Amino acid sequence: MPTSSRSGGVVRPWLVAGVAAGALGVLATIDPNEPGHYPTCPFLATTGLWCPGCGSLRAMHALTRLDVATAWERNPLAVIAVPLLVAAWLRWLLDAHGSPRARRWHPTGIAPVVVWTGLVLVLAYWVARNVPGWTWLSPA
Amino acid sequence: MSYNEPPNYGTPPPPPAGGYGYGGAPQGPPPNNNLVWAILTTLFCCLPLGVASIVFAAQVNGKWAAGDVAGANESAEKAKKFAIWSAIAGVVVIVLYIILIVVLGVASSSVDTDY
């Protein structure tokens, strides 16, 4: 078994990939569009408002069917996040294999202004989803 | 006072031998800012707690970029704790939901799910 002293070895990235694949498998077979299969978002249930994550289960379900258009209608920010998460996972895998380039791309090396901009983006998205009539950002 | 010899106020001191110092990322492995956890909890855990995780991630990056290794590690530790707690909160919500379904049985089939 290949082992590495850094970042907990190469086993962990593949473990995470397995868990993600399992979750996508469940999402592909058990349709979140039908009520009663998954818990409702606690924020939506208590406030009646959309949170930044509302619709992401249905978006991922659509992505397992390669239906990007439907996924985009449910939660565009979640669709945008998918390639970023895949890139972060690839970097993690390369880092676990000891790649010096992957070490240079560490998430902690991202310019702070980029992360703060991301925070503002998420907060603006949260508000915009709940503006009456702006259904293009929310699952409504 | 002579203008021929201007004072040396503006000249920065030479950088230390190790290349450390303010305004640049330190050498060595950076602490984990848990940004991926923040994105996951914000967009896929459906818990607004993820927003706070993004703040911690930005703090880690800011302190690391400024050369504050101790501060970056401290913020990274908070980010990690927060990620763990938000994950636990997510699991608790799901377990409570499953218990609710089991207790209420078929009667809960009319529960409105908008997640």
Side-chain angles (χ1 to χ4, degrees):
Chain A
M1 193 174 70
T3 52
S4 171
S5 58
R6 56 185 85 204
S7 302
V10 288
V11 179
R12 282 167 70 183
W14 288 112
L15 208 65
V16 166
V19 170
L24 283 178
V26 169
L27 260 177
T29 41
I30 303 175
D31 191 349
N33 292 293
E34 294 165 15
H37 288 161
Y38 299 95
T40 305
C41 166
F43 182 77
L44 180 70
T46 49
T47 64
L49 297 169
W50 305 110
C51 88
C54 285
S56 59
L57 271 188
R58 281 167 286 171
M60 291 309 112
H61 173 78
L63 281 187
T64 61
R65 280 155 174 68
L66 302 176
D67 186 356
V68 181
T70 302
W72 186 266
E73 280 174 24
R74 296 294 168 258
N75 192 330
L77 203 58
V79 175
I80 292 169
V82 168
L84 295 177
L85 290 170
V86 171
W89 181 82
L90 278 173
R91 192 217 68 85
W92 185 27
L93 185 71
L94 289 172
D95 191 5
H97 277 287
S99 160
R101 188 174 291 177
R103 175 54 53 87
R104 244 180 288 138
W105 289 342
H106 196 281
T108 301
I110 297 170
V113 68
V114 175
V115 186
W116 287 118
T117 306
L119 177 72
V120 171
L121 187 76
V122 165
L123 292 176
Y125 181 66
W126 196 344
V127 174
R129 298 193 105 189
N130 293 292
V131 172
W134 280 16
T135 53
W136 54 286
L137 280 174
S138 71
Chain B
M1 186 183 278
S2 168
Y3 284 102
N4 294 331
E5 290 179 19
N8 216 13
Y9 297 138
T11 311
Y20 289 72
Y22 297 100
Q27 292 172 347
N32 192 350
N33 64 0
N34 281 286
L35 186 59
V36 172
W37 263 110
I39 294 172
L40 283 173
T41 47
T42 306
L43 292 176
F44 299 101
C45 221
C46 217
L47 290 168
L49 292 169
V51 170
S53 300
I54 303 175
V55 173
F56 284 126
Q59 279 182 1
V60 175
N61 288 24
K63 287 174 180 175
W64 183 260
D68 181 5
V69 177
N73 281 320
E74 197 185 309
S75 289
E77 203 55 44
K78 281 185 199 161
K80 187 181 173 184
K81 264 184 202 155
F82 208 85
I84 290 169
W85 280 112
S86 56
I88 289 171
V91 169
V92 164
V93 167
I94 290 168
V95 168
L96 281 178
Y97 180 78
I98 292 169
I99 290 170
L100 201 74
I101 292 297
V102 170
V103 168
L104 299 181
V106 190
S108 67
S109 60
S110 63
V111 168
D112 179 35
T113 52
D114 274 310
Y115 179 31

